[in-house]
Structures are given as structure tokens and as C-alpha cells.
Amino acid sequence: MSRLTLLALQVLVAVVAIALWHVLTTVEIGGRMLLPPFFFSNPFDVAARIYKMFATGLVWRHLWVTLVESALAFVIGSVGGIVVGFWFARKPLVAAVFDPYVKMANALPRVVLAPIFTLWLGLGIWSKVALGVTLVFFIVFFNVYQGIKEVSPTVLANARMLGMNERQLMRHVYWPSALSWMFSSLHTSVGFAVVGAVVGEYLGSAAGLGYMIQQAEGVFDVAGVFAGMFVLAAFVIVIDAVVTLVENRLLVWRPAAAETRG
Amino acid sequence: MPAREGRGAAVALRDVTISFRLGGTADFTAVEAASLTVEDGEFVAIVGPTGCGKSTLLNVAAGLLTPSAGSAEIFGAPLAGLNPDAGYLFQADALFPWKTAVENVAIGLEVVGVASAEARARAKEWLGRVGLAPFAGRYPHMLSGGQRKRVGLAQVLIRDPKILLMDEPFGPLDAQTRQIMGNLLLELWSADRKAVMFVTHDLEEAIALSDRVVIMSAGPAARIIGDWRVPLPRPRDIGEVKLDEAFHVLHRDIWAKLKDEVLKGYARTGGG
Ligand SMILES: Nc1ncnc2c1ncn2[C@@H]1O[C@H](COP(=O)(O)OP(=O)(O)OP(=O)(O)O)[C@@H](O)[C@H]1O
Ligand SMILES: [Mg+2]
């Protein structure tokens, strides 16, 4: 299928979905609306609301706040995940001792931590960053750990026969392998950084996309909620496209078939 | 590097036994009381049925595996840890998948502190020597099995090891390419004679390339059951040497002994 046909089909899906939404919320069928506008708003109201958000420039500040929180959560979580992942993978005793605690911490639904982070770090960005970090950290950590453990024993033996010392092994073998695993989960970890930021904002803050949505919901402004959701979705798509670009750049050495990992 | 003054044989394995711990109670003895000496500059081929322990024996010579009993000496010095004099061309894929062909070859020099520009230049030369100059920028997954083996060969040879361990280096190649690669190997080897331990399934290849052919029995508890000197003159051309009368006589002798072992090996492993 050509790119153009594919694009046309993708647009068609959106058009059909929006048309359905419009018809069901504005045209009475059998004496009543199938989707009550009070709960579902309608495409035109939402579009107008989005337009207004950008026209007044109000949305930029919120977007910026969410972006900063996500970026910080991603960077801090990744660095933490890499450091701890390496440490655990190279020191099996440490990994064995901490194993149950890592599992416990990872099993904990992160949302319950939000109030604690708000208590500790206040209503500013850092409580949201902390929430995002707890999500990103584990993904990166598990992937880096796995990446080091899964280095082919033959490649490792070869590296040692070529005379690599521990530092060189780190640089030429473990690090690239860990990075490749980490990058293969880049979409997930970046996505979780955004989730952490938005959920944190939603649960208590003074700015950000999550805050915007929460405010609109508070006054039963359904068009506002939908508008916020669409802006958030567009934001995620843009970020995901950037991640794809970065990924293609960094993983040229990998066969295409392996790209489904993670 | 260990002192070469001792000037013993390049590799001397004495009554080497290798047992693997399996999950249960019983150990699995792969190789039992194998003795093998490879002189400096000597090209020795090791032939045996599949699963008999050829790779295992190379791993011992490389220092990757410590024998359960017996000893390994390298140039007269007991081997402890990895063997720094050995270059090892592994049976399985061992290239770094995240490095291009030229980077894979250059790394052997970079590791010992050669500046990266110089290492790269010399790696390019080596890729040329194994006929892969146009593929320098490719990653391993973009190379064929035979091309990967050649990159591996360059990766090992660029370090100029005194002992060369090769585990079925021409395994995935077709008959013609095998012959070309064999001649290339002989050419490179005769320029600077290293001790070579060359594992292969292919008896003809073993005779054509080597000074000595060593036969192993079918495992488990495989032993070395035959050791033939190859009386063919050098320099050799692999294609032509196979037409030599002495080649045929030797081939018949060795095959008579090897055939039984191969059949035994098949019977035990169910053809695997
Ligand atoms: N790590 C291990 N644990 C248990 N058994 C092993 C291990 N490595 C090898 N073996 C066994 O030791 C025997 C010899 O293995 P090896 O790889 O040396 O065979 P080989 O002669 O190289 O065979 P091939 O020609 O098929 O490569 C085999 O029976 C194998 O199953
Ligand atoms: Mg083998």
C-alpha cells in the first residue's frame, strides 16, 4: 500500500469518527439524542474551545509546564535506571538482596504516591516530576539490567579474548547492549513520563494540561475536558514522533525485525 | 605477555579432561584424557564427529575453560586465566552487532591503545585483504554468514596473535568460497607462521590445509584417537593438492578410522 493511500485511510477513520460523534450528539434519533451533549459535548464546541485556547495563548503556559515536567521525569528516571541497572547487573549479590524490594516497589500503583509527593514536594512541578520518575525509572532499570544480562556469551568471550579490560568491556559491550534495550523501550518510558506529569497535575497543581482538564471537569465543562484531551493527545503524538526520529538515528545497527522488542 | 623464552610448544594439552556440571547429580564428561601438542608455527587440524568436544578443546587452549583434570601449557608456561597469546575465531557469531565491519576489526587494536585513526586505517587494509573493502561501513546483520566469518578473521588477525584458534571458520560457506578462503588463509599464514588449531568437520579441508590432522572419537568422554602427519609440500593450492596421490592415500587411511566414529556419534546423538 502506498503512503498516500494509507494516509487517506487514516484520515478517513478520523472523519468517520468525528461525523458519528457529531450526528449522535446533535441529531435526535427516535425522539432523543443517543449521546447526551451534556456528557459528550459536540465536535464544533470542542473545536471552538481548542481554537480559543490557542487564540488567547492560554494553553502555551500549560503545555510548557507539562513538557518541562515530562522531560525532567524522563531524564532523572533514565539516569537513575541506568545507574542502578548497571550496578545490579554487575553485582549479582546486590541484585539478589534488593530483588524482593524492587518487585514490591514496582508492583505498587504509582497513583497512591501522588499525595505523598505533594505533601513532601508541594504543589509545584517537583511532585509531578517525582511521580513520573517512579514510572520511568523501573522501565529503564529493567531494560538496562536485561540488556547487560542478555549480552551473547560468545560476544562477551570474544571481547575478552580481544584483550578488553573491565572498563573497555563496559564501554564496548555492556553499554551499547544496555542502551539498545533502553532505546527499544523509549516509547514506553517517554509515554510514562508524560503520564506521570499529567496524572500528578490532575491530582493537584496550579498549571499544566492535567490541571486544565481537571479545572474544566470541576465545573462540568465537558467541551473543555475534551479540548484538553485532544491537546494532550496531539502533544503525545508530537513527542512520539520525535522519539521515533531519535530511535532511528541511534539504532541503525539493528536489523529491522528486532524493532518490535520492548 | 608470558615469557617466550621457555620456548615450549605453542600449545601443550596434557591428559586434559573436561566435565560439565549438569543440573542433576551426574557430571557430563565431554573430553577425557586428551593430549595434544601444537608446535610454534605448526598448523594442526582437529576433526571429529559432531558434539565430540572440539570446541571444548579450543576453549581450554583459549583459557576460557579450565580443565577438570590435566594441564594446559602455552609456550612452556602453565595457562592461568585467559590466553593472551591466542586469537580465537569462534564457531558462533561473535562480532559486535553495534559496530560496523571496520569498527569490529579496528577494536582489536584500539583495545591495546593504538590511536583510533591508525587502527581504522589498518582495519581497512585488513578488510581489503579478506576481500571486504566495499563492506567496511556495514553492520554485521547486513553481511552474509561467510562475510561475517571473514570480518571475524580480520578481527583476530589484525592483533597478530602467536596462536590462532579457529572453530569451523568456513562452516557456512559454499564449496567454492571455502576453497578461496582456504587459500587465503594459507597465504596469510605462510607470510607469518603462527601456531594454528583448526577445527573442521571436513576431512579433505583438514588434510589440504594442515601439517597434522588429529582425530577425536565420538563423545561422551571423547579421546584423541589418531594423529597423522600430512606429507604434502608447501606452498599448497587447495584445489590442486586434492589431486595429489599422497592426499588420497592419507584420506583413505584417516577416513577408515574416522568413519566408525562418525557413525557412533550419529547413533548416540540421534543424528544431531
Ligand atoms: N556448557 C556445557 N554444559 C554441558 N555440556 C556441554 C557444555 N558445552 C558443551 N557441552 C557438551 O560437550 C560436548 C562437546 O561439545 P563441543 O561444543 O565441544 O562439541 P563440538 O565437537 O565442537 O561439536 P560441533 O562439531 O557440533 O561444533 C557436547 O556433547 C556438548 O553437549
Ligand atoms: Mg563446535
Side-chain angles (χ1 to χ4, degrees):
Chain A
M1 199 180 340
S2 80
R3 284 181 69 102
L4 219 66
T5 335
L6 184 65
L7 192 70
L9 285 175
Q10 286 171 338
V11 170
L12 187 69
V13 169
V15 169
V16 168
I18 291 171
L20 257 172
W21 179 19
H22 180 69
V23 168
L24 295 180
T25 50
T26 54
V27 181
E28 295 200 2
I29 298 169
R32 63 190 206 88
M33 310 278 195
L34 280 183
L35 300 178
F38 179 75
F39 293 115
F40 292 90
S41 188
N42 72 67
F44 284 107
D45 282 359
V46 172
R49 186 61 64 89
I50 294 174
Y51 176 77
K52 209 177 102 199
M53 273 155 75
F54 283 93
T56 57
L58 197 71
V59 74
W60 294 116
R61 193 173 72 90
H62 295 298
L63 270 175
W64 174 247
V65 168
T66 303
L67 183 67
V68 168
E69 288 165 357
S70 306
L72 282 172
F74 174 73
V75 170
I76 297 171
S78 295
V79 170
I82 290 171
V83 169
V84 178
F86 261 88
W87 189 42
F88 277 28
R90 304 298 292 134
K91 300 264 185 293
L93 180 66
V94 176
V97 169
F98 280 96
D99 183 60
Y101 301 104
V102 169
K103 284 198 180 116
M104 222 157 82
N106 187 41
L108 194 71
R110 260 25 83 73
V111 180
V112 304
L113 295 176
I116 297 180
F117 287 142
T118 311
L119 215 61
W120 290 347
L121 303 166
L123 284 172
I125 66 166
W126 291 106
S127 55
K128 285 81 202 170
V129 172
L131 194 59
V133 165
T134 61
L135 291 165
V136 172
F137 170 84
F138 284 97
I139 299 170
V140 173
F141 163 75
F142 285 125
N143 274 285
V144 166
Y145 182 79
Q146 203 68 8
I148 293 168
K149 287 282 167 190
E150 301 270 304
V151 170
S152 140
T154 318
V155 169
L156 197 58
N158 191 25
R160 293 174 57 211
M161 287 308 293
L162 290 173
M164 287 193 196
N165 58 30
E166 195 65 14
R167 229 192 65 244
Q168 289 164 329
L169 280 181
M170 208 52 120
R171 169 156 166 233
H172 295 289
V173 181
Y174 293 123
W175 178 246
S177 177
L179 275 197
S180 86
W181 277 67
M182 191 191 132
F183 286 136
S184 68
S185 63
L186 206 57
H187 289 280
T188 324
S189 50
V190 168
F192 273 179
V194 177
V195 167
V198 172
V199 170
E201 288 162 1
Y202 183 83
L203 293 176
S205 70
L209 289 177
Y211 167 78
M212 244 172 63
I213 294 174
Q214 194 267 335
Q215 287 289 302
E217 193 191 310
V219 295
F220 296 103
D221 173 12
V222 178
V225 173
F226 273 94
M229 271 164 44
F230 278 112
V231 171
L232 179 59
F235 175 75
V236 170
I237 286 181
V238 170
I239 288 186
D240 205 60
V242 172
V243 169
T244 304
L245 239 108
V246 171
E247 192 180 48
N248 289 344
R249 214 22 188 292
L250 291 170
L251 292 183
V252 273
W253 60 267
R254 271 226 318 231
E259 270 169 18
T260 48
R261 239 197 272 158
Chain B
M1 300 252 150
R4 275 184 96 177
E5 289 77 61
R7 292 266 79 180
V11 180
L13 306 179
R14 279 191 246 286
D15 294 322
V16 164
T17 298
I18 304 128
S19 302
F20 292 107
R21 279 225 91 87
L22 296 181
T25 45
D27 282 1
F28 176 82
T29 303
V31 177
E32 188 161 287
S35 297
L36 175 64
T37 317
V38 181
E39 296 299 331
D40 197 8
E42 193 180 28
F43 197 126
V44 175
I46 302 167
V47 186
T50 178
C52 69
K54 305 182 291 294
S55 301
T56 304
L57 218 51
L58 284 199
N59 286 339
V60 170
L64 288 166
L65 206 59
T66 314
S68 326
S71 70
E73 283 180 10
I74 304 300
F75 292 116
L79 180 58
L82 291 183
N83 180 350
D85 289 327
Y88 194 163
L89 190 54
F90 290 83
Q91 183 172 15
D93 259 339
L95 296 178
F96 304 105
W98 40 81
K99 289 182 185 293
T100 59
V102 68
E103 288 166 353
N104 259 293
V105 179
I107 188 69
L109 290 179
E110 283 170 22
V111 159
V112 292
V114 176
S116 86
E118 195 203 329
R120 247 185 125 80
R122 280 169 61 190
K124 281 233 170 78
E125 274 171 40
W126 268 102
L127 280 179
R129 240 167 268 175
V130 296
L132 286 177
F135 299 90
R138 295 232 194 154
Y139 289 94
H141 80 90
M142 305 166 170
L143 298 170
S144 75
Q147 289 168 337
R148 284 202 285 270
K149 283 286 179 207
R150 283 188 271 167
V151 175
L153 186 63
Q155 184 184 57
V156 167
L157 288 178
I158 198 171
R159 295 176 61 238
D160 195 24
K162 299 184 189 91
I163 301 165
L164 198 51
L165 309 172
M166 305 177 83
D167 200 344
E168 294 187 35
F170 308 149
L173 305 184
D174 61 87
Q176 273 80 12
T177 318
R178 266 180 114 94
Q179 194 163 321
I180 295 170
M181 287 296 294
N183 279 331
L184 173 69
L185 176 63
L186 282 187
E187 193 186 308
L188 294 172
W189 174 74
S190 49
D192 166 31
R193 295 202 170 199
K194 305 170 186 312
V196 181
M197 283 173 84
F198 186 98
V199 166
T200 174
H201 276 133
D202 183 345
L203 181 53
E204 289 193 17
E205 182 174 84
I207 299 172
L209 287 170
S210 58
D211 298 320
R212 265 168 64 209
V213 177
V214 170
I215 303 293
M216 289 179 78
S217 69
R223 296 165 166 276
I224 287 175
I225 53 164
D227 190 336
W228 282 266
R229 211 150 264 294
V230 179
L232 300 167
R234 292 193 190 269
R236 296 178 196 163
D237 177 277
I238 298 197
E240 283 166 23
V241 88
K242 287 179 184 167
L243 307 174
D244 199 302
E245 181 56 31
F247 181 94
H248 290 285
V249 173
L250 189 59
H251 189 278
R252 202 178 311 125
D253 276 6
I254 302 179
W255 180 241
K257 188 139 193 181
L258 183 59
K259 193 171 60 182
D260 295 340
E261 293 305 323
V262 171
L263 291 176
K264 257 189 249 166
Y266 266 58
R268 274 178 210 165
T269 60

